[in-house]
Amino acid sequence: MPQPMGAAVMTLQGQELLAKSTAGECKIKYMYMAIGNGDYSEQEKTKACLKTRTALKSEKNRYSFSDLFVEHKNLVKLKALLSNYDPIKKEALVTAAYYINEIGIYAKEEGKADDTAVLVSIATTASDNGDFMPPYNGQNPTTITQGYYITVSDGANVTVNIKGAALLAEDANKITDDTTKKRYKLGIDNGAMYYVEVKE
């Protein structure tokens, strides 16, 4: 059963990047979702403490985003496939089990070097331990589809890094309209191709 995470908190670095984007000084590129097993006290889980963080306590893995959905002008949903196995490189990503107690979103100013990405948002588990991530057993990978909502200045001016990301099975036949940003499902029925709008 999935374990709940606490409310996401925008960090001070995230607020600074959002302010620059709102002022038209930069475009934000969301780079990756990071997960870790850091332990946080109740005090450390408060908004006041989390907003000052510049990194996860104990980062374990990073994942490129599989997709981005513009929920409305100032809210986007980032999606990533968390796994203990990399299907592209065909190698184990997790060799020692851990609990996902923290999730972070990293972003940078578009056009700047990848290593300038900063922690812009963080969420910690609402209970003692988050979801369990087992080591890869050489047979069946464990996967978790993780969504994460982010506040933006303008959803039309946001980009994501999808390099190396796994395609989610449920998104394999979906496309996004370049102009309206509406999502459509493509299909074939008795040899005839069709599309239908989907709400996500």
Side-chain angles (χ1 to χ4, degrees):
M1 174 192 245
Q3 297 300 307
M5 297 297 285
V9 174
M10 183 177 288
T11 65
L12 295 175
Q13 292 176 321
Q15 290 174 2
E16 184 179 330
L17 196 56
L18 181 61
K20 288 185 78 171
S21 173
T22 302
E25 297 174 16
C26 74
K27 188 172 181 178
I28 299 174
K29 183 168 186 176
Y30 291 94
M31 296 301 293
Y32 55 87
M33 181 182 291
I35 60 174
N37 68 339
D39 287 322
Y40 292 77
S41 68
E42 287 306 311
Q43 172 62 30
E44 290 174 315
K45 288 183 179 182
T46 63
K47 183 176 180 180
C49 285
L50 289 176
K51 69 190 248 181
T52 64
R53 293 211 60 86
T54 57
L56 298 184
K57 265 193 173 187
S58 180
E59 183 180 315
K60 294 296 182 184
N61 294 95
R62 294 179 177 183
Y63 301 91
S64 295
F65 297 107
S66 299
D67 215 337
L68 172 145
F69 306 100
V70 179
E71 297 288 324
H72 60 73
K73 187 177 188 310
N74 299 113
L75 185 69
V76 297
K77 180 182 182 182
L78 300 166
K79 239 171 148 180
L81 183 68
L82 313 181
S83 180
N84 59 2
Y85 177 74
D86 186 332
I88 296 167
K89 295 180 180 177
K90 309 249 188 261
E91 63 186 24
L93 295 174
V94 178
T95 56
Y98 64 91
Y99 288 99
I100 302 172
N101 293 338
E102 52 184 344
I103 299 175
I105 302 296
Y106 284 77
K108 65 170 189 160
E109 291 183 37
E110 190 168 60
K112 290 204 170 180
D114 289 354
D115 63 4
T116 64
V118 296
L119 178 69
V120 295
S121 185
I122 185 171
T124 59
T125 183
S127 57
D128 290 336
N129 285 311
D131 288 328
F132 183 68
M133 180 62 81
Y136 179 59
N137 63 10
Q139 301 294 319
N140 300 312
T142 296
T143 60
I144 300 170
T145 302
Q146 183 68 52
Y148 199 106
Y149 288 95
I150 287 281
T151 301
V152 296
S153 61
D154 185 349
N157 292 321
V158 171
T159 59
V160 296
N161 173 43
I162 59 171
K163 184 178 179 183
L167 177 65
L168 303 177
E170 68 257 27
D171 293 334
N173 63 341
K174 294 178 186 173
I175 58 171
T176 303
D177 184 293
D178 292 338
T179 303
T180 66
K181 302 304 180 192
K182 291 181 179 177
R183 299 276 289 169
Y184 294 91
K185 174 185 173 185
L186 294 177
I188 298 176
D189 184 14
N190 204 21
M193 184 176 271
Y194 69 91
Y195 65 94
V196 62
E197 185 177 351
V198 293
K199 299 291 184 189
E200 298 182 293

